[in-house]
Amino acid sequence: AQSVTQLGSHVSVSEGALVLLRCNYSSSVPPYLFWYVQYPNQGLQLLLKYTTGATLVKGINGFEAEFKKSETSFHLTKPSAHMSDAAEYFCAVSDDFGNEKLTFGTGTRLTIIP
Amino acid sequence: GAVVSQHPSRVICKSGTSVKIECRSLDFQATTMFWYRQFPKQSLMLMATSNEGSKATYEQGVEKDKFLINHASLTLSTLTVTSAHPEDSSFYICSATQGASETQYFGPGTRLLVL
């Protein structure tokens, strides 16, 4: 069975500061890892995903995440926060080479302080 | 990008009635659609996977006779909550994909409140 833990249900950072959203996973097989973002009243949008290969993955809107097998982590970062980054962020894991049966974390709400 | 819509966005119904939620892929053909449920402050939980023209596959613990899923076309899937009860109140989210190993595109969700 897989599971995802997102540390911190709410994170606040100042505009221009580093954004760090934490995600740890549990999987019995090599995982496929995803970060999704949800803006108010909108569907989840894929930010980035890790399947195989390079462990540092770059996504949209300047976000990136690094797969660290030894730490079973897939933390999401952005060097400089923008007001438009305020949203809910979900980490997810799949044990398939497709995107079926995603297991989601509980989400982290990111607030940007002007 | 690919767009998935859901209708209605919010619904309130009386206990014992049935509610139908629609999920549409607006600009692509979705061979597979997924239905999730999200309770407050909890993660999205997969309820079922449906492929066009075939019966849905339900996750363990999800009552297939209570949550009827129909995927009659490549652009439409419906979830019917039959004989709804207050404990069925939740946020229901669908997603769609164009095929295996493809990105899931999510709808905006439907908030169901059963009185």
Side-chain angles (χ1 to χ4, degrees):
Chain A
Q2 302 161 298
S3 66
V4 176
T5 301
Q6 290 185 241
L7 294 177
S9 58
H10 290 86
V11 171
S12 296
V13 301
S14 298
E15 190 175 14
L18 171 72
V19 175
L20 171 61
L21 305 182
R22 299 179 186 274
C23 172
N24 288 87
Y25 69 91
S26 169
S27 177
S28 57
V29 298
Y32 286 71
L33 296 159
F34 308 81
W35 275 100
Y36 285 86
V37 60
Q38 185 177 32
Y39 299 102
N41 301 315
Q42 295 186 30
L44 276 70
Q45 179 183 1
L46 181 66
L47 268 180
L48 50 79
K49 65 180 179 181
Y50 167 79
T51 54
T52 58
T55 56
L56 181 63
V57 181
K58 294 185 184 298
I60 61 173
N61 302 337
F63 284 93
E64 62 182 35
E66 186 172 10
F67 169 58
K68 292 186 177 181
K69 183 179 178 180
S70 61
E71 299 177 6
T72 60
S73 70
F74 190 58
H75 302 330
L76 181 71
T77 61
K78 181 174 181 178
S80 177
H82 191 273
M83 295 301 295
S84 62
D85 294 327
E88 186 95 19
Y89 291 80
F90 293 92
C91 181
V93 63
S94 169
D95 65 354
D96 204 335
F97 46 79
N99 287 336
E100 296 189 11
K101 296 196 175 184
L102 293 171
T103 299
F104 284 88
T106 51
T108 298
R109 182 168 298 279
L110 176 65
T111 299
I112 310 299
I113 304 168
Chain B
V3 179
V4 175
S5 70
Q6 282 185 241
H7 178 80
S9 58
R10 183 179 299 185
V11 57
I12 301 173
C13 69
K14 293 182 178 180
S15 184
T17 61
S18 294
V19 174
K20 180 184 285 188
I21 302 170
E22 293 185 348
C23 176
R24 293 182 184 271
S25 56
L26 299 185
D27 51 3
F28 66 101
Q29 293 186 327
T31 55
T32 304
M33 287 185 168
F34 303 87
W35 286 96
Y36 296 85
R37 180 168 52 184
Q38 185 181 28
F39 292 107
K41 301 187 184 302
Q42 296 187 27
S43 59
L44 282 75
M45 300 297 295
L46 179 65
M47 299 175 65
T49 302
S50 72
N51 293 294
E52 186 265 339
S54 61
K55 291 183 178 180
T57 301
Y58 291 81
E59 294 300 299
Q60 190 173 9
V62 178
E63 300 175 59
K64 63 180 181 180
D65 294 331
K66 181 170 185 62
F67 298 99
L68 301 179
I69 292 173
N70 184 282
H71 191 170
S73 76
L74 285 172
T75 59
L76 174 65
S77 176
T78 60
L79 167 67
T80 301
V81 183
T82 62
S83 186
H85 288 93
E87 57 266 31
D88 298 324
S89 299
S90 188
F91 194 52
Y92 293 87
I93 303 171
C94 74
S95 70
T97 181
Q98 297 180 63
S101 304
E102 297 292 329
T103 298
Q104 287 189 34
Y105 297 98
F106 285 81
T110 296
R111 190 164 299 282
L112 170 63
L113 177 61
V114 184
L115 302 178

